[in-house]
Amino acid sequence: MPVLHKVGTGKSKQATNVNTQPKAPVAKGAKAAGKKKDEEEATDTAEGEEWMPGKTLVKPPDQLDLTEEELKEEITRVLTANNPNAPQNVVRYGFKEGCYKPIVFVDQMAIHFEIEGNLVHKESDEGRRLMAEQVIREDGAGDEKLENLAKAGKKERKLTNQFNFNERASQTLNNPPRDISCQTEPPPRANFSATANQWEIYDFYVEELKRREKSKEKQEGQFLNKEEDKSKKKMIQAETQSDDISLLAHAAKIIERMVNQNIFDEVAQDFMYFEDASDEFRGEKGTLLPLWKFQYDKTKGLCVTALCWNHKYNDLFAVGLGSYEFNQEERGMLLFYTLKNSSYPEFVFNTASGVMCVDIHEQLSYLVAVGLHDGCVAVYNLKKKSDQPIYNSIACSGKHRGAVMQVKWQKDDLDSNHNFFSVSADGRVVSWTLVKHELVFTDIIKLPAMEKVPDDFKDVIATAGTSLDFHKQKDHHFLAGTEAGKIYKGSKHYSSKFLETYDAHFMTVSRVRWNPFHPNVFISCSWDWMVKIWDHTIKSPIFTFELKTSVTDVAWAPYSSTVFAAVTTDGKVHVFDLSVNKYEALCQQKVVSKKTRLLHIEFNPVHPIIIVGDDRGHVISLKLSPNLRKKPKEKKGQELPKGPEVEIAKMEQLLSSLR
Amino acid sequence: MSGLKFAEVEDTLKRIQGYNGVIGTIVVNGEGIPIRTTLDNSTTVQYVGLLHQLILKARSTVRDIDPQNDLTFLRIRSKKHEIIVAPDKEFLMIVIQNPAE
């Protein structure tokens, strides 16, 4: 609190006690009293000093030395109540004007000392509270506590004041955490990966089915199956132990065929697709295109004695190898080739004696009947892997005494046994039946002896049968050609006599065959250079063709009733089509090198190819050109009728034209 | 019986190798290890390693489409030659051939 002093004069000689601020009025009084005392003391001292001999003024050493004039000078001192430390030029930014403005009134208060007091007004809340507490404290020592508590409780209730927040917390003792871990040995791991494809699922189901079936079988026939299983187990063990590549047989076969296909690619293409376009310009004539040549090096010295196509698998054919010479060493082979592999035969069977004829069963294409040079007949089962025939007539009493020239399968007899016929050089036509494990023979008929033979020797000198053929529709009719040149028509039912005799040729009849379509027609060929076509009701031939050399074989085409082909010893193949040209062959082509004789010919039942066998043991396949495969021209507007009836009609037409 | 078959297969293999244009034949067992080969080792290993996977893929493809079907053979014809692969139940046979010109 500034106390405004009047402007006053004061000499400042020894300014030691200048009180500028007396604060409390209480203090003022005391100080005033003190002043008086000082003055009194001063006078006292002054009085005391008067009697002392001269008071000397003591000068402090650093006092200014001033002259008398300077001493007398009056210095004006102004005392203001302004705070010397307060700022004089405070400037404040005024937002209204946007500039700094000086502030005139500056706070002049200088605070020298500050202390907060602890006096509380007794009427205020806090004052009342404190007074209450004081009372409690004074009474607290001996009084009853209940009363106090009640009072305190009443008064204490008000303590829940949001401004008077009390936080209490206490910390419990935390147990120090401890990590305990243990590691087990890791379980053994294996990497497993698999695929789940549709086929894997399928395979699994198939196996499951098999297992179930096996278990069923086991239940049904335990005894036998146990033995089987044992043997199977042994087999399986043997297979898995060895790295046996015999399982590779199938794959190796496929590969061989493919390699062959690659090597003979052109041939395969020709076989499938080539049609000789030049046939159009050739008029009627046709050609034969050589395709594959089938050879096997072990056939040296053997001739092809028989050819037979398989009816079920149209690319498979059988080749019988033997010898026509009687003085050569006896050995023979039966080979099976497929068009898919011309380098090596599919099946090879070695026979003790030369094979003279082969026939494959029409329905059961795995049954092959073979007639041998020594008079035996044998039946092979191609499904079996063995080299031996399943039936052999060596042990039979009724076996032929001469070479078996022709065998032919027949339909199953009434007991559903397979049976086949054979004709041989001993003149007998015998029927063989496959009964269980045996061949049972039945003499059908004996070819009549030749007239030239004197009666005494008729039983001894047999008429060698050279060919045999059964009628396609009337099964019991058959034709037998003989060495003498006669053809006999017989029936299975008559065992003593023949139905008909034809004086066909001057020399050995090498082949007789019924026409596949027309029921009355058959063809025969012989070493006397002739090919003759007959109607079995007429004793003389309808057609006669003379080829320049011995005709060794003749065959009808399976696709037309008027087409046939013949092979001769000069290596030529002659193809005729009677509906086109009745006098001449459409094709006369030499297919082998000189000095090789062609011995057999067969048409493929499906494909337009023929196979010819020669005397070197080789088989050549040839493709027939379109001219040789002509179908009757279709008349405009009419649909081309199909089927065997057409063929029959065609033939009939021919025949009627001649009568 | 198996001995007879074994001899036949050996014969067939020899014949195949002898055919016109055949460069080499390899027989691989079920684990992908060549057990018979007419080529040198490095070439064999290379062929086997590459073809094995291809055959598995091809077979899987064929069987996936129809599980009753199965791969008979695979033919890869390139400019220079033709690779013929025939898988079997346990084996694989590879033939490299120069197709006849």
Side-chain angles (χ1 to χ4, degrees), chain A residues 141-203:
Chain A
D143 274 29
E144 286 173 293
K145 285 185 185 174
L146 284 168
E147 280 184 13
N148 291 337
L149 278 170
K151 280 187 201 170
K154 279 186 197 170
K155 281 170 192 171
E156 293 269 347
R157 237 194 311 120
K158 278 207 101 185
L159 274 174
T160 57
N161 191 337
Q162 63 199 145
F163 300 113
N164 202 5
F165 177 64
N166 237 347
E167 189 175 321
R168 276 194 191 202
S170 75
Q171 185 158 12
T172 58
L173 180 66
N174 283 336
N175 291 323
R178 188 180 287 184
D179 261 334
I180 297 179
S181 63
C182 76
Q183 187 169 6
T184 57
E185 245 186 63
R189 276 197 210 167
N191 265 343
F192 173 76
S193 70
T195 50
N197 287 325
Q198 200 180 2
W199 53 269
E200 286 194 13
I201 298 168
Y202 174 82
D203 276 348

Side-chain angles (χ1 to χ4, degrees), chain A residues 197-199 202-203 243-249 251-252 254-256 258-263 343-344, chain B residues 6 9 12 15-16 19-20 22 27 35 60 63-64 67-68 72-73 75 82 84 86 88 91 93 95 97:
Chain A
N197 287 325
Q198 200 180 2
W199 53 269
Y202 174 82
D203 276 348
D243 226 354
D244 200 6
I245 62 164
S246 63
L247 299 167
L248 202 56
I254 291 172
I255 292 243
E256 194 179 0
M258 284 166 66
V259 169
N260 269 303
Q261 189 187 9
N262 276 340
I263 296 170
S343 317
Y344 197 76
Chain B
F6 187 75
V9 174
T12 312
R15 259 185 288 128
I16 290 172
Y19 279 131
N20 199 12
V22 172
V27 178
I35 50 175
S60 179
R63 295 209 73 200
D64 244 349
Q68 292 180 325
T72 313
F73 61 77
R75 247 183 166 158
E82 177 164 338
I84 305 164
D88 204 4
F91 295 93
M93 198 165 154
V95 170
Q97 186 189 17

Side-chain angles (χ1 to χ4, degrees), chain A residues 51-67:
Chain A
W51 62 270
M52 287 180 82
K55 175 176 132 186
T56 49
L57 290 166
V58 179
K59 276 192 187 173
D62 57 344
Q63 197 182 46
L64 281 170
D65 280 332
L66 295 169
T67 60

Side-chain angles (χ1 to χ4, degrees), chain A residues 59-345:
Chain A
K59 276 192 187 173
D62 57 344
Q63 197 182 46
L64 281 170
D65 280 332
L66 295 169
T67 60
E68 288 284 332
E69 289 166 359
E70 283 171 0
L71 282 171
K72 284 183 184 170
E73 201 181 316
E74 286 191 0
I75 297 169
T76 316
R77 294 200 94 169
V78 178
L79 296 169
T80 59
N82 287 343
N83 184 359
N85 290 327
Q88 289 164 349
N89 52 353
V90 175
V91 191
R92 286 269 150 80
Y93 188 78
F95 284 93
K96 193 172 161 193
E97 290 87 15
C99 64
Y100 287 93
K101 286 193 307 181
I103 291 178
V104 179
F105 285 107
V106 177
D107 199 4
Q108 300 293 327
M109 188 176 87
I111 297 171
H112 293 279
F113 178 74
E114 203 176 320
I115 184 168
E116 271 196 29
N118 50 7
L119 292 175
V120 176
H121 197 273
K122 63 176 176 184
E123 299 300 316
S124 76
D125 285 335
E126 207 173 322
R128 285 200 201 108
R129 189 164 53 83
L130 285 168
M131 281 172 65
E133 278 177 10
Q134 239 185 354
V135 170
I136 289 164
R137 252 183 254 125
E138 284 166 13
D139 296 339
D143 274 29
E144 286 173 293
K145 285 185 185 174
L146 284 168
E147 280 184 13
N148 291 337
L149 278 170
K151 280 187 201 170
K154 279 186 197 170
K155 281 170 192 171
E156 293 269 347
R157 237 194 311 120
K158 278 207 101 185
L159 274 174
T160 57
N161 191 337
Q162 63 199 145
F163 300 113
N164 202 5
F165 177 64
N166 237 347
E167 189 175 321
R168 276 194 191 202
S170 75
Q171 185 158 12
T172 58
L173 180 66
N174 283 336
N175 291 323
R178 188 180 287 184
D179 261 334
I180 297 179
S181 63
C182 76
Q183 187 169 6
T184 57
E185 245 186 63
R189 276 197 210 167
N191 265 343
F192 173 76
S193 70
T195 50
N197 287 325
Q198 200 180 2
W199 53 269
E200 286 194 13
I201 298 168
Y202 174 82
D203 276 348
F204 181 77
Y205 272 111
V206 165
E207 272 179 44
E208 185 64 33
L209 258 174
K210 275 189 199 162
R211 247 180 278 149
R212 283 203 192 149
E213 273 173 36
K214 267 189 186 173
S215 63
K216 268 190 201 168
E217 276 175 34
K218 272 185 182 175
Q219 287 169 8
E220 283 169 23
Q222 275 180 359
F223 214 64
L224 288 162
N225 281 331
K226 269 183 191 172
E227 290 172 31
E228 269 181 36
D229 281 340
K230 277 181 197 168
S231 59
K232 272 180 198 171
K233 275 178 195 170
K234 281 180 194 168
M235 280 277 289
I236 293 162
Q237 278 174 2
E239 280 171 31
T240 49
Q241 277 165 11
S242 62
D243 226 354
D244 200 6
I245 62 164
S246 63
L247 299 167
L248 202 56
H250 186 66
K253 195 173 221 159
I254 291 172
I255 292 243
E256 194 179 0
R257 285 189 182 184
M258 284 166 66
V259 169
N260 269 303
Q261 189 187 9
N262 276 340
I263 296 170
F264 299 110
D265 185 43
E266 291 161 1
V267 175
Q269 301 283 344
D270 284 344
F271 162 72
M272 266 323 282
Y273 304 115
F274 181 72
E275 302 294 347
D276 201 343
S278 60
D279 262 11
E280 290 170 37
F281 311 110
R282 249 194 285 256
E284 301 166 337
K285 307 275 176 188
T287 50
L288 296 167
L289 178 76
L291 297 173
W292 295 281
K293 193 165 182 195
F294 300 90
Q295 298 170 7
Y296 185 39
D297 50 4
K298 297 209 178 123
T299 61
K300 247 185 169 176
L302 295 172
C303 318
V304 172
T305 53
L307 291 172
C308 187
W309 283 101
N310 189 314
H311 288 270
K312 190 168 175 205
Y313 301 104
N314 293 314
D315 58 292
L316 189 67
F317 63 91
V319 180
L321 292 147
S323 173
Y324 282 118
E325 318 290 327
F326 288 93
N327 49 357
Q328 281 199 343
E329 59 176 57
E330 295 275 329
R331 69 179 184 94
M333 292 179 93
L334 177 65
L335 301 176
F336 282 82
Y337 282 101
T338 168
L339 297 176
K340 297 174 191 167
N341 182 351
S342 61
S343 317
Y344 197 76

